[in-house]
Amino acid sequence: MILDNEKDHSQEIDLKLLFKVLWDKKVFISALSSIFAILSIIYALLLPNYFTSQSTLYAVIDEGDTGSTLSSMASRYGGLAGVAGITLPQVDGASKTAIMLATIESREFLSHLLTFEGVREKLIATKSYNTSSKTISFDKNIFNSESNTWVDGQPSDLFTYNAYKQIISLYEDKISGLITISVTHKSPIFAKSFLDLIIQEANNIMRQRDMIESSDSLEYLTNQLDSTKQADIRYSINQLIETQLKKQMLANVRKFYILNPIDIPFIPEEKSEPKRSELVIMLTIIGFIFSILIVLFRHYSEILKE
């Protein structure tokens, strides 16, 4: 019991000594913390603003398309079924939603987007954005906007893909089936226009794929219909032809073929990053802790020398 009291008394003395050491060096701690605070403010002010444009969409599922409907159910309720220990069957192997998201994230899709004017340089060479003139300034060491030429040659699609992956974000809610796509860029106008382009071209590519597949199917079914005499088989073929004609009709009349926006892309008015106040506070705290560690290190180093 006496030993415990002596131990507690020793710890109390050590804590008092520790606070005394820190208090004696309060000027040094305050000065170093202030330096960190000032440097963090300067650093935060030098960071460029980034803006995020976002859109919420849903995948269009045709009525009467049993496979698509079951795939949609598996996509929407798969999360709840997993919690309950139930595994839903995969009907089509991959739903149109999954194919669409994989398409948007693919290198081939980016190569298609890069055929549009101004996309590559804005992804790679954007230096800053002027909010007054609403114009982009390019890094002259990468891209010369006056002559519209690349300083060291045009970056490859693969190199540009890395920049593309950094600014785009895709999220699918497995329960509701809603899809969120966002683009973050120094220019709020480009963030919005590029997101519009992604949604537009993703729909167009899926439309084109289905149109080619449907045309090939119609050609095959028509040939089979001409060579078939049995009434029940001809009826089944006619049903399949009707389905393919409906698919082509929908592909031609829909503005948004697969991805239909609920909340269309917008030009953001406020920056999404950096969080300058949070950054300054964090770096100041780091400076404060660092200054304390320096004081304690010096103190105990002197004790060891003695």
Side-chain angles (χ1 to χ4, degrees), residues 17 22 39 50 58 62 66 72 88 103 127 131 133 167 188 196 218 231-233 248 253 280 305:
L17 178 61
L22 295 177
L39 291 177
Y50 285 87
Y58 67 94
D62 297 337
T66 306
S72 176
L88 295 178
T103 298
K127 182 178 181 180
T131 55
S133 61
I167 72 166
D196 278 330
L218 281 173
D232 54 343
I233 296 179
Q248 290 197 359
V253 300
V280 169
K305 289 179 181 179

mmCIF file of all heavy atoms in Angstrom, residues 17 22 39 50 58 62 66 72 88 103 127 131 133 167 188 196 218 231-233 248 253 280 305:
data_model
loop_
_atom_site.group_PDB
_atom_site.id
_atom_site.type_symbol
_atom_site.label_atom_id
_atom_site.label_comp_id
_atom_site.label_asym_id
_atom_site.label_seq_id
_atom_site.Cartn_x
_atom_site.Cartn_y
_atom_site.Cartn_z
ATOM 1 N N LEU A 17 6.094 18.326 -13.246
ATOM 2 C CA LEU A 17 7.353 18.686 -13.889
ATOM 3 C C LEU A 17 7.160 18.858 -15.392
ATOM 4 O O LEU A 17 7.716 19.781 -16.002
ATOM 5 C CB LEU A 17 8.392 17.595 -13.611
ATOM 6 C CG LEU A 17 9.773 17.796 -14.272
ATOM 7 C CD1 LEU A 17 10.419 19.081 -13.771
ATOM 8 C CD2 LEU A 17 10.669 16.594 -14.007
ATOM 9 N N LEU A 22 6.821 22.532 -20.116
ATOM 10 C CA LEU A 22 6.072 23.090 -21.248
ATOM 11 C C LEU A 22 5.744 24.561 -21.023
ATOM 12 O O LEU A 22 5.780 25.371 -21.966
ATOM 13 C CB LEU A 22 4.792 22.281 -21.478
ATOM 14 C CG LEU A 22 4.980 20.817 -21.908
ATOM 15 C CD1 LEU A 22 3.633 20.114 -22.037
ATOM 16 C CD2 LEU A 22 5.734 20.726 -23.223
ATOM 17 N N LEU A 39 1.964 29.524 -42.219
ATOM 18 C CA LEU A 39 2.330 28.760 -43.409
ATOM 19 C C LEU A 39 1.138 27.962 -43.949
ATOM 20 O O LEU A 39 0.971 27.833 -45.165
ATOM 21 C CB LEU A 39 3.495 27.817 -43.088
ATOM 22 C CG LEU A 39 4.845 28.485 -42.803
ATOM 23 C CD1 LEU A 39 5.884 27.442 -42.433
ATOM 24 C CD2 LEU A 39 5.312 29.297 -44.010
ATOM 25 N N TYR A 50 -11.705 23.633 -56.621
ATOM 26 C CA TYR A 50 -12.293 22.594 -57.464
ATOM 27 C C TYR A 50 -13.815 22.624 -57.283
ATOM 28 O O TYR A 50 -14.314 22.844 -56.177
ATOM 29 C CB TYR A 50 -11.740 21.218 -57.106
ATOM 30 C CG TYR A 50 -10.327 20.984 -57.598
ATOM 31 C CD1 TYR A 50 -9.228 21.379 -56.831
ATOM 32 C CD2 TYR A 50 -10.085 20.377 -58.825
ATOM 33 C CE1 TYR A 50 -7.933 21.177 -57.276
ATOM 34 C CE2 TYR A 50 -8.793 20.171 -59.280
ATOM 35 C CZ TYR A 50 -7.721 20.575 -58.496
ATOM 36 O OH TYR A 50 -6.442 20.368 -58.948
ATOM 37 N N TYR A 58 -31.490 7.140 -63.238
ATOM 38 C CA TYR A 58 -31.984 5.773 -63.071
ATOM 39 C C TYR A 58 -31.928 5.074 -64.418
ATOM 40 O O TYR A 58 -31.984 5.705 -65.473
ATOM 41 C CB TYR A 58 -33.417 5.754 -62.519
ATOM 42 C CG TYR A 58 -34.464 6.306 -63.448
ATOM 43 C CD1 TYR A 58 -35.189 5.471 -64.315
ATOM 44 C CD2 TYR A 58 -34.747 7.669 -63.477
ATOM 45 C CE1 TYR A 58 -36.150 5.982 -65.171
ATOM 46 C CE2 TYR A 58 -35.705 8.193 -64.332
ATOM 47 C CZ TYR A 58 -36.406 7.334 -65.175
ATOM 48 O OH TYR A 58 -37.351 7.849 -66.032
ATOM 49 N N ASP A 62 -37.352 -1.649 -69.858
ATOM 50 C CA ASP A 62 -38.548 -1.778 -70.684
ATOM 51 C C ASP A 62 -39.568 -2.690 -70.029
ATOM 52 O O ASP A 62 -39.236 -3.758 -69.513
ATOM 53 C CB ASP A 62 -38.186 -2.356 -72.064
ATOM 54 C CG ASP A 62 -37.259 -1.435 -72.828
ATOM 55 O OD1 ASP A 62 -37.259 -0.230 -72.527
ATOM 56 O OD2 ASP A 62 -36.532 -1.929 -73.715
ATOM 57 N N THR A 66 -38.691 -9.429 -69.440
ATOM 58 C CA THR A 66 -38.612 -10.235 -68.236
ATOM 59 C C THR A 66 -37.197 -10.292 -67.699
ATOM 60 O O THR A 66 -36.939 -10.136 -66.511
ATOM 61 C CB THR A 66 -39.110 -11.669 -68.510
ATOM 62 O OG1 THR A 66 -40.403 -11.599 -69.065
ATOM 63 C CG2 THR A 66 -39.124 -12.496 -67.231
ATOM 64 N N SER A 72 -33.162 -6.053 -62.858
ATOM 65 C CA SER A 72 -33.387 -4.837 -62.089
ATOM 66 C C SER A 72 -33.735 -5.172 -60.640
ATOM 67 O O SER A 72 -33.263 -4.531 -59.705
ATOM 68 C CB SER A 72 -34.520 -4.018 -62.717
ATOM 69 O OG SER A 72 -34.794 -2.892 -61.941
ATOM 70 N N LEU A 88 -30.048 -13.906 -54.833
ATOM 71 C CA LEU A 88 -30.912 -13.783 -55.998
ATOM 72 C C LEU A 88 -30.191 -14.260 -57.249
ATOM 73 O O LEU A 88 -29.004 -14.010 -57.406
ATOM 74 C CB LEU A 88 -31.356 -12.334 -56.182
ATOM 75 C CG LEU A 88 -32.244 -11.769 -55.071
ATOM 76 C CD1 LEU A 88 -32.565 -10.312 -55.362
ATOM 77 C CD2 LEU A 88 -33.522 -12.575 -54.929
ATOM 78 N N THR A 103 -18.966 0.682 -68.871
ATOM 79 C CA THR A 103 -18.646 1.404 -70.111
ATOM 80 C C THR A 103 -18.099 2.790 -69.812
ATOM 81 O O THR A 103 -17.096 3.221 -70.388
ATOM 82 C CB THR A 103 -19.903 1.517 -71.000
ATOM 83 O OG1 THR A 103 -20.349 0.206 -71.369
ATOM 84 C CG2 THR A 103 -19.615 2.318 -72.259
ATOM 85 N N LYS A 127 -4.744 24.868 -65.716
ATOM 86 C CA LYS A 127 -3.954 25.431 -64.621
ATOM 87 C C LYS A 127 -4.842 26.171 -63.633
ATOM 88 O O LYS A 127 -4.709 26.007 -62.413
ATOM 89 C CB LYS A 127 -2.887 26.375 -65.181
ATOM 90 C CG LYS A 127 -1.977 26.963 -64.117
ATOM 91 C CD LYS A 127 -0.909 27.865 -64.738
ATOM 92 C CE LYS A 127 0.021 28.434 -63.682
ATOM 93 N NZ LYS A 127 1.063 29.312 -64.275
ATOM 94 N N THR A 131 -12.960 33.241 -62.569
ATOM 95 C CA THR A 131 -14.391 33.327 -62.292
ATOM 96 C C THR A 131 -15.045 34.541 -62.935
ATOM 97 O O THR A 131 -16.248 34.539 -63.197
ATOM 98 C CB THR A 131 -14.630 33.368 -60.768
ATOM 99 O OG1 THR A 131 -13.861 34.449 -60.202
ATOM 100 C CG2 THR A 131 -14.197 32.059 -60.116
ATOM 101 N N SER A 133 -14.074 36.149 -66.000
ATOM 102 C CA SER A 133 -14.226 35.948 -67.447
ATOM 103 C C SER A 133 -14.762 34.568 -67.802
ATOM 104 O O SER A 133 -15.094 34.294 -68.941
ATOM 105 C CB SER A 133 -12.883 36.155 -68.141
ATOM 106 O OG SER A 133 -11.922 35.224 -67.665
ATOM 107 N N ILE A 167 -11.121 12.574 -61.735
ATOM 108 C CA ILE A 167 -12.155 13.623 -61.644
ATOM 109 C C ILE A 167 -13.569 13.061 -61.692
ATOM 110 O O ILE A 167 -14.522 13.779 -61.401
ATOM 111 C CB ILE A 167 -11.981 14.672 -62.756
ATOM 112 C CG1 ILE A 167 -12.367 14.096 -64.120
ATOM 113 C CG2 ILE A 167 -10.579 15.224 -62.778
ATOM 114 C CD1 ILE A 167 -12.537 15.147 -65.192
ATOM 115 N N PRO A 188 -16.029 25.095 -63.148
ATOM 116 C CA PRO A 188 -17.384 24.597 -62.915
ATOM 117 C C PRO A 188 -18.153 24.391 -64.213
ATOM 118 O O PRO A 188 -19.004 23.502 -64.302
ATOM 119 C CB PRO A 188 -18.020 25.692 -62.043
ATOM 120 C CG PRO A 188 -17.224 26.929 -62.340
ATOM 121 C CD PRO A 188 -15.838 26.451 -62.613
ATOM 122 N N ASP A 196 -22.460 16.307 -68.800
ATOM 123 C CA ASP A 196 -23.492 16.206 -69.844
ATOM 124 C C ASP A 196 -23.019 15.304 -70.988
ATOM 125 O O ASP A 196 -23.776 14.466 -71.494
ATOM 126 C CB ASP A 196 -23.820 17.600 -70.399
ATOM 127 C CG ASP A 196 -24.808 18.352 -69.536
ATOM 128 O OD1 ASP A 196 -25.640 17.706 -68.890
ATOM 129 O OD2 ASP A 196 -24.742 19.594 -69.508
ATOM 130 N N LEU A 218 -33.074 -9.051 -86.421
ATOM 131 C CA LEU A 218 -34.191 -8.968 -87.364
ATOM 132 C C LEU A 218 -33.862 -9.645 -88.696
ATOM 133 O O LEU A 218 -34.707 -10.338 -89.283
ATOM 134 C CB LEU A 218 -34.559 -7.498 -87.600
ATOM 135 C CG LEU A 218 -35.408 -6.823 -86.518
ATOM 136 C CD1 LEU A 218 -35.560 -5.342 -86.800
ATOM 137 C CD2 LEU A 218 -36.790 -7.483 -86.434
ATOM 138 N N ALA A 231 -46.782 -23.356 -88.373
ATOM 139 C CA ALA A 231 -47.510 -22.177 -87.888
ATOM 140 C C ALA A 231 -47.052 -21.745 -86.496
ATOM 141 O O ALA A 231 -46.905 -20.543 -86.234
ATOM 142 C CB ALA A 231 -49.011 -22.468 -87.873
ATOM 143 N N ASP A 232 -46.823 -22.711 -85.577
ATOM 144 C CA ASP A 232 -46.449 -22.340 -84.214
ATOM 145 C C ASP A 232 -45.062 -21.700 -84.160
ATOM 146 O O ASP A 232 -44.830 -20.745 -83.405
ATOM 147 C CB ASP A 232 -46.504 -23.561 -83.293
ATOM 148 C CG ASP A 232 -45.670 -24.721 -83.824
ATOM 149 O OD1 ASP A 232 -45.331 -24.700 -85.026
ATOM 150 O OD2 ASP A 232 -45.361 -25.635 -83.035
ATOM 151 N N ILE A 233 -44.143 -22.207 -85.000
ATOM 152 C CA ILE A 233 -42.803 -21.625 -85.042
ATOM 153 C C ILE A 233 -42.851 -20.237 -85.673
ATOM 154 O O ILE A 233 -42.176 -19.297 -85.217
ATOM 155 C CB ILE A 233 -41.832 -22.540 -85.811
ATOM 156 C CG1 ILE A 233 -41.688 -23.868 -85.068
ATOM 157 C CG2 ILE A 233 -40.469 -21.880 -85.979
ATOM 158 C CD1 ILE A 233 -40.782 -24.851 -85.752
ATOM 159 N N GLN A 248 -36.083 -1.201 -81.440
ATOM 160 C CA GLN A 248 -35.593 -0.177 -82.363
ATOM 161 C C GLN A 248 -36.407 1.102 -82.262
ATOM 162 O O GLN A 248 -35.873 2.207 -82.358
ATOM 163 C CB GLN A 248 -35.616 -0.714 -83.800
ATOM 164 C CG GLN A 248 -34.583 -1.790 -84.072
ATOM 165 C CD GLN A 248 -34.345 -2.002 -85.557
ATOM 166 O OE1 GLN A 248 -34.968 -1.355 -86.399
ATOM 167 N NE2 GLN A 248 -33.433 -2.901 -85.881
ATOM 168 N N VAL A 253 -36.708 6.891 -80.415
ATOM 169 C CA VAL A 253 -37.534 7.979 -79.879
ATOM 170 C C VAL A 253 -37.049 8.492 -78.526
ATOM 171 O O VAL A 253 -37.368 9.620 -78.148
ATOM 172 C CB VAL A 253 -39.017 7.537 -79.758
ATOM 173 C CG1 VAL A 253 -39.561 7.138 -81.115
ATOM 174 C CG2 VAL A 253 -39.188 6.408 -78.750
ATOM 175 N N VAL A 280 -6.282 24.486 -42.405
ATOM 176 C CA VAL A 280 -5.505 25.380 -41.540
ATOM 177 C C VAL A 280 -5.537 24.884 -40.098
ATOM 178 O O VAL A 280 -4.503 24.846 -39.402
ATOM 179 C CB VAL A 280 -6.040 26.821 -41.634
ATOM 180 C CG1 VAL A 280 -5.420 27.695 -40.546
ATOM 181 C CG2 VAL A 280 -5.750 27.402 -43.008
ATOM 182 N N LYS A 305 22.042 13.449 -20.674
ATOM 183 C CA LYS A 305 23.430 13.893 -20.714
ATOM 184 C C LYS A 305 23.983 14.101 -19.320
ATOM 185 O O LYS A 305 25.135 13.799 -19.001
ATOM 186 C CB LYS A 305 23.546 15.185 -21.525
ATOM 187 C CG LYS A 305 23.350 14.998 -23.007
ATOM 188 C CD LYS A 305 23.455 16.327 -23.746
ATOM 189 C CE LYS A 305 23.238 16.139 -25.249
ATOM 190 N NZ LYS A 305 23.319 17.426 -25.979
#
